[in-house]
Amino acid sequence: MKWLKKCLDTAPTPMWPDDLQNHTFLHTVYCQDGSPSVGLSEAYDEDQLFFFDFSQNTRVPRLPEFADWAQEQGDAPAILFDKEFCEWMIQQIGPKLDGKIPVSRGFPIAEVFTLKPLEFGKPNTLVCFVSNLFPPMLTVNWQHHSVPVEGFGPTFVSAVDGLSFQAFSYLNFTPEPSDIFSCIVTHEIDRYTAIAYWVPRNALPSDLLENVLCGVAFGLGVLGIIVGIVLIIYFRKPCSG
């Protein structure tokens, strides 16, 4: 497979004082003979902020908190230039390297977890996290009790160190005790499939959780009073001899 990845650093890595931490911003453009044919992701310390929707020529935030920053369009011409240059490299140079360089594969690994602490009956979000992804050609589908689920959001793909990728897929839901969800990840280049399941574990209904916490607090308060009385009685004893 002919594939090209381009990482652009916004500035040379500065030398920080010993008491400051160094951070990394990745602006990654990639193109390939597959779907998606071109992509761009931006990440801060490997935590993805945006991907670029080339059909709309706009940034798409991974989380709602990043929405205001996604409005920045000042570098749109540079992004389109990188896209065209990457596609030109695939068309002109890719065929000359076909079969002459090793083809790398990464079998994706999937896991599912909730975005917020689990409470039955309260809206939450399931997150399907895909790691060890290379090249970034995948489809993600959700099932509930083996029945396909619709209405989940786009799959966010971002680059990480070591010429690899990771992906996130989000599904909004209201958890119930009988839930069984599965995230099905298909690696398009070789049809390899990874499946991760999610079932409720260690969850309490919200009203029971509040009652338990109140009971624990009350119990600790009573225990503190008893210990205090014992200590007062002990230290008020007259000394013998």
Side-chain angles (χ1 to χ4, degrees), residues 48-64:
Q48 186 182 20
L49 304 177
F50 316 100
F51 80 86
F52 196 84
D53 184 351
F54 283 96
S55 64
Q56 302 293 328
N57 289 333
T58 184
R59 283 179 169 86
V60 179
R62 183 173 67 88
L63 297 176

Side-chain angles (χ1 to χ4, degrees), residues 175-192:
E176 301 294 339
S178 60
D179 280 337
I180 301 178
F181 284 91
S182 55
C183 174
I184 304 172
V185 179
T186 302
H187 202 200
E188 293 296 332
I189 191 171
D190 50 19
R191 306 306 298 175
Y192 174 85

Side-chain angles (χ1 to χ4, degrees), residues 53-138:
D53 184 351
F54 283 96
S55 64
Q56 302 293 328
N57 289 333
T58 184
R59 283 179 169 86
V60 179
R62 183 173 67 88
L63 297 176
E65 292 82 354
F66 307 148
D68 291 341
W69 298 343
Q71 305 304 317
E72 174 59 41
Q73 298 293 327
D75 58 348
I79 290 174
L80 294 179
F81 172 83
D82 291 340
K83 169 183 176 292
E84 295 173 358
F85 178 75
C86 188
E87 292 175 333
W88 179 86
M89 292 283 288
I90 288 289
Q91 297 170 3
Q92 301 298 322
I93 300 180
K96 299 179 181 179
L97 300 178
D98 192 15
K100 298 180 180 179
I101 57 176
V103 178
S104 181
R105 297 284 187 273
F107 295 109
I109 301 171
E111 56 182 306
V112 180
F113 50 89
T114 56
L115 190 62
K116 297 183 290 187
L118 178 61
E119 293 185 54
F120 292 129
K122 287 194 174 183
N124 207 324
T125 301
L126 282 176
V127 181
C128 184
F129 172 62
V130 184
S131 59
N132 196 45
L133 177 64
F134 186 87
M137 299 165 56
L138 81 161

